[in-house]
Amino acid sequence: MIITKEKIKNDLKDKLINHYAVDINEATNFQVYFSLGNLIRDYASRGWIYTNNSYVKYKEKQVYYFSIEFLMGKMLKANLLNIGILKECKEALSELEFDIDDLEKLEPEPGLGNGGLGRLAACFLDSMASLAIPGHGCGIRYRYGLFEQRFIDGHQMEVPENWLKEGNVWEIRKPDKAVIVKFRGKIDWIKEDGELKFVHKNYEPVLAVPYDTPIVGYENSTVNNLRLFSAEIPGSEYDLASACHGDYKKILDYKYSVEAISQVLYPDDSSDEGKILRLKQEYFMVSAGIQSIVRKFKKLGLPFSEFSEKIAIHINDTHPAFCIPELMRILIDEENISWDKAWEITKSSISYTNHTILSEALEVWPSHMVSELLPRIYMIIEEINRRFCNVLMRLYPHNQEKINKMAIIADSKVKMANLSIVGSQSVNGVAKLHSEILKNKELKDFYELYPEKFNNKTNGITHRRWLMLANEGLTNLIDDTIGTVWKRVPTDLIRLREYRNNPAFCEEIRKIKRGNKEKLAKIILDKNNIKLDPSSIFDVQVKRLHAYKRQLMNGLQILDLYHSILENPNLDIQPRTFIFGAKAAPSYYLAKNIIKFINSIADMINSDPRVKGMIKIVFMENYSVTLAQSIIPGADVSQQISTASKEASGTGNMKFMMNGAITLATLDGANIEILNEVGDENIVIFGLTSKEVLDYYEHGGYSSREIYHRNHRIKRVVDDLINGFIPKLSQDEGMDIYNHLITYNDEYFVLKDFEAYIKAQEKIDMLYKDKDKWTEMAIINIASSGQFTSDKTITSYANGIWNARMGEHF
Ligand SMILES: *Cc1c(COP(=O)(O)O)cnc(C)c1O
């Protein structure tokens, strides 16, 4: 189907009439937005059906990507881009006197994720569809996504994010595909034909209703599926009323307790709160997803021995790890397959990505909680564990400690990472360093047992959203310079290297960056009422707020610079604008105090006439995918300063380099791979290595107090936390941070890395003075960024883990 500008105009007018009974010239922006969304979904629907049918017809291997988070970002322009009608649609709208960006502003961002993990899942969906891989997402349709962040007197306030208020134009509810998920109750066994059979009795049924969203591939007519489940009561309200004997309050209590399962995303990316509900969410998603997969597989009419040839199930971190016992349950209890065969099928179908080595973030569940809520699943985990421990006892007969460490159930806890490793065919880390640390340290015992399972898949980002959509100016310049092959084969960006000293090209690059900075400055003026100088260095740190990411170190460095300017008003530095964006988990007090600290120094410094024109600080509220798309193209400096060994990969770092920012980084996660691509003269690296950090953790020998007493500049900024120097920072807030740094010995080596960080910042200042050099560095970063597209990452998952076909581009 060819979609012309004229067709879009006509179809859109029809939609408005049919849907809202308005003429286009009377329609509101929202009506046009919603009708356009509807229209785009219509355009995608043919491809959606066609793709699905062709997968069924050719019995192609299907990949299912399970993730408790999908942080998709807005979809209006992304869908238009991938369908291939973004330009036509912009023109059509403009002829009808509407502006596509005004319409997109009305689209709510579905914040169904916390940060990197959820955004990775979204980039992967885009890449799977764009590579024509039959790959689908599976997750939860949270009624409320991640909270909206506001600042009140510099404090974070959390506001519920009602993203479905006006409806979601991209999804289709599929009540006919709903399944029942069973909680609690009791397991009985009966003998049937001499075989033991397990029956689940007196369970609490929950209906999992799928909402499907089309995932459009880039100009290739593939449309995959993102299936998110919503929890509802089974049967009608009327049935429920009879069951509750008309007790109205009881009916509503029950209804709320069921709907609570898909009510809210946990606003914490490292530890679990509201334990039982989170556990329910995990099993709910997994059981609904696996039931759908098995039901679809059975329609192919193939024996279960071919299951793993036709289906790959990937689990994004351990939250979906109940996929393992759930698939076992269905195969054994419902399909009458023997344990050994079921185990073979399960193990060979499932693969697992580990995302963290922060030990506090490794998921464990109290055994009693699992056994009460999921009695049959717990039995199966116990049996997997029993068999696994038998193997371990044979291998390490005198090493009870090691067996305990590797067991799936130990000390009355279910260890989800251990379950994921034992029950899968592949375990991958998300950057080379991270995968090495997993093999040599965190998961060493497992690596020695199953060396063949372990591999690395460095994360990536989709250049379609993070370059083609976010940075139109740069996209056009690249097209004019090296043609458009890079859009399908992003590694072709490397050809930009040849232009690194081409004066006309460099001038264009500078102009585009300048334009993006002006646009960002305008947004900041509107939102924060702070006027920025677009010729200052835009030095950006945007990501979740976490102690290991060290926004605190950045704040202290700014405070130190402030003192330096006060001491020496003629200090020769480039004017600098520090831009922050970060949400803190609501119960993470240190993180919230760090936000308050940065907001407080921002107030102090921005209002001090003595540093006017030299430094400014902006903390933008509510960091999100949408905000990231306008901040990152305007950045000069990308701060990636986590304590070495702590950031598994990072993907923000990749978005920035792709948009021509220079990375200021520690040797952590994928920063190391960025360094290898751009070379050490095109990145600024500082700080402890991961080996040094890990050695300190293992052997001790670090005293932050010693550094504090020895280095007067460090002492000065740390004392500022508690001596009233920062007017808006309270004694308690400052003391909490002070204690973290001094009393509790600075777990993340902020003070240890501080001097090196200051020097690195001075280097940035010096490099920026040389405009030609800086532009050359930016170009090399853009040119090298093709190595970090999720297309490359997904190609390697498809070949190395899933054994899934990749389609032709056409
Ligand atoms: C990319 C992204 C992240 C991850 O950023 P890191 O710097 O890798 O931690 C988090 N949140 C949003 C909204 C993003 O787009």
Side-chain angles (χ1 to χ4, degrees), residues 16 38 64 78 88 117 164 233 297 488 492 530-531 561 587 656 667 707:
L16 280 159
N38 246 297
Y64 294 94
E88 289 76 1
L117 175 135
L164 289 168
I233 50 166
F297 172 77
R488 287 179 189 285
D492 201 53
I530 297 176
K531 197 163 176 347
L561 180 61
S587 60
F656 279 97
L667 288 169
I707 293 186

Side-chain angles (χ1 to χ4, degrees), residues 27 76 163 170 208 235 305 364 389 521 598 631 665 755:
L76 182 70
W163 71 287
W170 306 115
S305 56
V364 295
C389 287
I598 293 170
I631 295 175
E755 274 192 273

Side-chain angles (χ1 to χ4, degrees), residues 37 46 51 107 192 201 250 272 294 305 311 340 422 436 458 482 510 541 550 583 625 643 729 732 744 768 782:
R46 288 158 216 272
T51 301
E107 174 167 353
E192 211 179 78
K201 290 193 168 150
K250 208 166 141 192
D272 305 306
V294 171
S305 56
I311 287 166
D340 290 330
V422 175
E436 285 306 307
T458 300
I482 58 168
R510 279 193 288 268
Q541 188 176 20
R550 301 201 292 193
K583 289 181 183 175
V625 175
T643 310
L729 189 69
D732 284 355
Y744 304 118
Y768 195 78
I782 300 164

Side-chain angles (χ1 to χ4, degrees), residues 473-490:
L474 183 55
T475 301
N476 292 336
L477 175 63
I478 297 172
D479 284 352
D480 293 344
T481 310
I482 58 168
T484 60
V485 172
W486 66 277
K487 288 178 171 168
R488 287 179 189 285
V489 188

Side-chain angles (χ1 to χ4, degrees), residues 275-288:
K275 283 259 170 200
I276 288 251
L277 193 55
R278 174 71 168 211
L279 182 57
K280 276 189 174 173
Q281 289 187 331
E282 291 185 358
Y283 182 66
F284 171 74
M285 157 180 86
V286 155
S287 178

Side-chain angles (χ1 to χ4, degrees), residues 480-743:
D480 293 344
T481 310
I482 58 168
T484 60
V485 172
W486 66 277
K487 288 178 171 168
R488 287 179 189 285
V489 188
T491 44
D492 201 53
L493 285 170
I494 199 68
R495 291 177 45 214
L496 290 172
R497 244 179 189 273
E498 289 167 38
Y499 296 85
R500 67 187 182 277
N501 297 315
N502 176 313
F505 182 72
C506 290
E507 195 45 43
E508 285 305 309
I509 286 282
R510 279 193 288 268
K511 254 198 219 152
I512 287 161
K513 182 61 81 182
R514 171 76 188 208
N516 291 336
K517 288 168 76 173
E518 281 166 3
K519 248 165 84 185
L520 177 55
K522 184 168 179 317
I523 295 172
I524 289 172
L525 183 63
D526 287 348
K527 286 184 190 272
N528 296 54
N529 199 25
I530 297 176
K531 197 163 176 347
L532 300 184
D533 169 11
S535 64
S536 65
I537 302 175
F538 279 18
D539 179 336
V540 183
Q541 188 176 20
V542 288
K543 47 183 73 252
R544 280 303 282 257
L545 212 135
H546 209 294
Y548 83 82
K549 292 180 184 272
R550 301 201 292 193
Q551 284 95 347
L552 174 58
M553 189 166 78
N554 193 356
L556 291 172
Q557 168 267 141
I558 299 168
L559 201 50
D560 177 74
L561 180 61
Y562 178 58
H563 280 294
S564 300
I565 300 172
L566 294 186
E567 274 181 359
N568 177 8
N570 297 321
L571 196 70
D572 178 27
I573 56 159
Q574 301 291 303
R576 190 113 47 139
T577 303
F578 296 98
I579 298 170
F580 291 86
K583 289 181 183 175
S587 60
Y588 190 174
Y589 295 101
L590 176 62
K592 289 180 135 179
N593 284 330
I594 292 171
I595 289 180
K596 179 66 197 313
F597 163 67
I598 293 170
N599 276 325
S600 303
I601 60 170
D603 269 357
M604 175 176 76
I605 292 173
N606 294 347
S607 63
D608 188 338
R610 293 171 296 176
V611 297
K612 196 166 178 330
M614 297 179 90
I615 40 177
K616 271 218 173 122
I617 310 177
V618 181
F619 204 138
M620 297 187 77
E621 283 176 334
N622 204 39
Y623 183 57
S624 58
V625 175
T626 309
L627 203 55
Q629 285 177 234
S630 33
I631 295 175
I632 292 171
D636 295 306
V637 176
S638 157
Q639 292 221 35
Q640 308 298 337
I641 58 175
S642 54
T643 310
S645 81
K646 294 291 177 186
E647 188 76 88
S649 162
T651 49
N653 46 6
M654 302 166 185
K655 300 167 196 165
F656 279 97
M657 80 179 292
M658 190 173 274
N659 284 278
I662 307 306
T663 313
L664 167 57
T666 49
L667 288 169
D668 201 15
N671 300 346
I672 297 172
E673 288 160 70
I674 293 177
L675 163 67
N676 289 340
E677 289 301 323
V678 301
D680 60 6
E681 67 283 14
N682 297 302
I683 187 169
V684 177
I685 295 287
F686 72 95
L688 293 172
T689 63
S690 57
K691 185 176 178 315
E692 289 166 334
V693 169
L694 294 171
D695 282 349
Y696 276 124
Y697 283 132
E698 203 168 328
H699 305 118
Y702 172 52
S703 163
S704 63
R705 197 180 289 272
E706 211 173 89
I707 293 186
Y708 164 80
H709 284 298
R710 204 178 55 222
N711 183 322
H712 83 277
R713 274 170 78 173
I714 290 179
K715 184 162 187 307
R716 181 169 64 183
V717 292
V718 172
D719 286 346
D720 285 347
L721 293 167
I722 51 169
N723 63 13
F725 179 76
I726 306 163
K728 293 200 174 159
L729 189 69
S730 78
Q731 183 71 29
D732 284 355
E733 290 155 359
M735 190 53 92
D736 185 44
I737 301 174
Y738 179 92
N739 282 336
H740 172 76
L741 289 174
I742 306 297
T743 317

Side-chain angles (χ1 to χ4, degrees), residues 220-398:
N220 67 355
S221 80
T222 295
V223 182
N224 287 335
N225 198 20
L226 167 60
R227 175 161 284 186
L228 301 178
F229 290 97
S230 177
E232 298 182 10
I233 50 166
S236 68
E237 261 86 350
Y238 185 79
D239 297 336
L240 189 60
S242 326
C244 297
H245 307 290
D247 184 335
Y248 192 64
K249 175 147 188 330
K250 208 166 141 192
I251 298 167
L252 287 183
D253 284 351
Y254 176 67
K255 190 167 142 69
Y256 289 142
S257 80
V258 167
E259 287 169 359
I261 295 173
S262 55
Q263 197 67 8
V264 61
L265 165 82
Y266 278 94
D268 192 330
D269 46 6
S270 57
S271 67
D272 305 306
E273 23 166 272
K275 283 259 170 200
I276 288 251
L277 193 55
R278 174 71 168 211
L279 182 57
K280 276 189 174 173
Q281 289 187 331
E282 291 185 358
Y283 182 66
F284 171 74
M285 157 180 86
V286 155
S287 178
I290 299 279
Q291 288 185 62
S292 307
I293 292 170
V294 171
R295 190 176 52 197
K296 194 163 171 197
F297 172 77
K298 286 172 77 169
K299 286 197 186 141
L300 298 178
L302 298 171
F304 272 95
S305 56
E306 287 181 35
F307 188 83
S308 68
E309 281 163 46
K310 296 295 168 196
I311 287 166
I313 295 167
H314 198 89
I315 60 177
N316 192 25
D317 214 331
T318 58
H319 321 110
F322 291 116
C323 276
I324 294 158
E326 176 66 2
L327 184 53
M328 289 292 284
R329 181 189 71 77
I330 292 174
L331 295 175
I332 295 170
D333 294 358
E334 294 179 8
E335 304 298 336
N336 300 311
I337 291 171
S338 73
W339 179 281
D340 290 330
K341 284 201 179 115
W343 183 239
E344 227 13 81
I345 294 168
T346 301
K347 236 182 11 181
S348 49
S349 309
I350 291 177
S351 47
Y352 156 57
T353 296
N354 174 293
H355 280 270
T356 183
I357 53 169
L358 292 181
S359 54
E360 69 268 26
L362 279 181
E363 221 190 351
V364 295
W365 290 105
S367 298
H368 71 90
M369 224 184 247
V370 181
S371 70
E372 279 158 32
L373 192 68
L374 313 169
R376 180 61 183 139
I377 290 302
Y378 188 71
M379 285 172 73
I380 292 170
I381 297 172
E382 275 186 313
E383 181 60 14
I384 296 173
N385 183 51
R386 191 186 65 79
R387 290 169 183 242
F388 179 57
C389 287
N390 281 344
V391 172
L392 295 179
M393 279 185 288
R394 253 181 286 125
L395 288 171
Y396 318 112
H398 304 297

